[in-house]
Amino acid sequence: MSKVVLITGGSSGIGKSIGEFLTEKGCIVYGTSRNPSNYANSKFKLVALDVNDTVTIAAAVKTVIDAEGKLDVLVNNAGVGINGAIEEIPQDQIQHNFNTNFFGPINVIKAVLPQMRAQQSGLVINITSIAGYMGLPYRGIYSASKGALEIVTEALRMETKDFGVKFTNIAPGDFATNIAAGRYHAPVLKDSPYTKYPNVLKDIDDHVDNSSSPIAVAKKVHLVINTKNPQIHYKVGAPMQKFSIILKFLLPDKMYEKLLLNHYKL
């Protein structure tokens, strides 16, 4: 039987790419968007869901289960970017980022677990980020929110193993999506002491603009869905981005920090 897949943040970027690829491979795909009516040409079904609103989360999960009688896979993909010197990012923006990138996915997980436990099967794939493996300058909040989701996934794997539910992370590097358009940028202030921030911000955006298609992430999701015992962590991205994680664990802390400082010209 075709697997029933729910993808949060399925209207654009990585989520849209995953949804279209899985649909081509025969999965029954439901994506989510805060405003599904804005995407009438979607190649798969979209249901209303805002990861910051538990009422919409419950309603969306119920819609899928009522229609299909099961839910095989959750892809927690919805997320937002944030850049800026931590000192200069407003507190409400920091909280919004964690609400969307960390607490939101946890609430979606809580909504699907009763069904997955009842059917004694299920897979949750959390889309995190290679940035979540390291504290990146002017991306510290984003790194922290994605890193937190990576760690929670490790705990959830052990807590749910007796129920036939499996958890894994897929951490993408930079891919050509519209994430920069929806990312919060701390304003560049004339009198800011963080004079190197504008150059780092440009470098971050250039990396996204010059990156490859997110289809690589979609293919990895499809591979994981068809893997009997998924690994805990997967990384998808340019070779140097993936290698940066290996270096993080191999090099002394200060040496690794120096590499990052040189990379960002700080």
Side-chain angles (χ1 to χ4, degrees), residues 142-187:
Y142 182 75
S143 290
S145 65
K146 289 297 189 177
L149 188 57
E150 284 269 342
I151 294 299
V152 159
T153 305
E154 295 178 1
L156 281 162
R157 280 175 62 93
M158 293 182 280
E159 292 175 1
T160 62
K161 73 178 184 64
D162 292 339
F163 311 133
V165 182
K166 298 172 183 176
F167 278 80
T168 188
N169 292 304
I170 296 180
D174 291 326
F175 286 94
T177 68
N178 61 349
I179 188 173
R183 180 191 290 143
Y184 174 79
H185 299 273

Side-chain angles (χ1 to χ4, degrees), residues 190-247:
K190 257 192 327 184
D191 57 349
S192 172
Y194 299 98
T195 56
K196 296 177 181 178
Y197 168 51
N199 291 332
V200 174
L201 179 59
K202 182 179 184 304
D203 182 65
I204 292 169
D205 288 343
D206 287 347
H207 269 99
V208 172
D209 292 340
N210 296 319
S211 296
S212 57
S213 164
I215 189 64
V217 184
K219 290 179 177 179
K220 182 65 74 174
V221 169
H222 182 252
L223 175 68
V224 171
I225 287 174
N226 290 285
T227 298
K228 185 177 180 181
N229 293 303
Q231 298 174 20
I232 303 173
H233 304 283
Y234 294 89
K235 293 90 178 174
V236 186
M240 276 308 299
Q241 290 178 345
K242 291 189 288 185
F243 188 55
S244 68
I245 299 174
I246 297 173
L247 289 177

Side-chain angles (χ1 to χ4, degrees), residues 5 16 45 57 60 68 78 89 97 113 127 153 155 158 161 172 178 233 242:
V5 183
K16 179 181 178 182
K45 297 173 184 176
I57 292 171
E68 307 299 337
I89 299 175
N97 191 267
L113 274 178
I127 304 297
T153 305
M158 293 182 280
K161 73 178 184 64
N178 61 349
H233 304 283
K242 291 189 288 185

Side-chain angles (χ1 to χ4, degrees), residues 3-246:
K3 291 186 182 292
V4 177
V5 183
L6 175 63
I7 306 168
T8 65
S11 59
S12 63
I14 288 175
K16 179 181 178 182
S17 181
I18 294 170
E20 291 180 349
F21 188 78
L22 294 185
T23 299
E24 291 173 6
K25 295 298 181 180
C27 294
I28 300 170
V29 177
Y30 287 79
T32 77
S33 168
R34 284 174 294 180
N35 299 293
S37 59
N38 292 343
Y39 305 95
N41 296 323
S42 175
K43 295 180 181 179
F44 50 91
K45 297 173 184 176
L46 288 175
V47 295
L49 184 150
D50 180 347
V51 295
N52 291 307
D53 184 342
T54 55
V55 173
T56 68
I57 292 171
V61 171
K62 185 176 186 301
T63 295
V64 176
I65 295 171
D66 286 351
E68 307 299 337
K70 64 173 186 170
L71 177 56
D72 298 304
V73 182
L74 165 65
V75 181
N76 253 328
N77 167 75
V80 290
I82 186 169
N83 292 331
I86 292 173
E87 182 183 355
E88 296 182 344
I89 299 175
Q91 184 65 21
D92 64 333
Q93 289 296 333
I94 293 174
Q95 290 175 336
H96 174 70
N97 191 267
F98 266 82
N99 285 340
T100 304
N101 291 356
F102 181 64
F103 296 114
I106 288 176
N107 284 330
V108 181
I109 289 167
K110 287 183 175 182
V112 305
L113 274 178
Q115 175 64 31
M116 289 183 173
R117 281 191 291 103
Q119 64 194 29
Q120 283 287 297
S121 66
L123 170 65
V124 176
I125 300 174
N126 288 324
I127 304 297
T128 58
S129 174
I130 286 178
Y133 283 84
M134 59 206 75
L136 296 176
Y138 302 108
R139 296 180 74 184
I141 299 303
Y142 182 75
S143 290
S145 65
K146 289 297 189 177
L149 188 57
E150 284 269 342
I151 294 299
V152 159
T153 305
E154 295 178 1
L156 281 162
R157 280 175 62 93
M158 293 182 280
E159 292 175 1
T160 62
K161 73 178 184 64
D162 292 339
F163 311 133
V165 182
K166 298 172 183 176
F167 278 80
T168 188
N169 292 304
I170 296 180
D174 291 326
F175 286 94
T177 68
N178 61 349
I179 188 173
R183 180 191 290 143
Y184 174 79
H185 299 273
V188 177
L189 305 174
K190 257 192 327 184
D191 57 349
S192 172
Y194 299 98
T195 56
K196 296 177 181 178
Y197 168 51
N199 291 332
V200 174
L201 179 59
K202 182 179 184 304
D203 182 65
I204 292 169
D205 288 343
D206 287 347
H207 269 99
V208 172
D209 292 340
N210 296 319
S211 296
S212 57
S213 164
I215 189 64
V217 184
K219 290 179 177 179
K220 182 65 74 174
V221 169
H222 182 252
L223 175 68
V224 171
I225 287 174
N226 290 285
T227 298
K228 185 177 180 181
N229 293 303
Q231 298 174 20
I232 303 173
H233 304 283
Y234 294 89
K235 293 90 178 174
V236 186
M240 276 308 299
Q241 290 178 345
K242 291 189 288 185
F243 188 55
S244 68
I245 299 174
I246 297 173

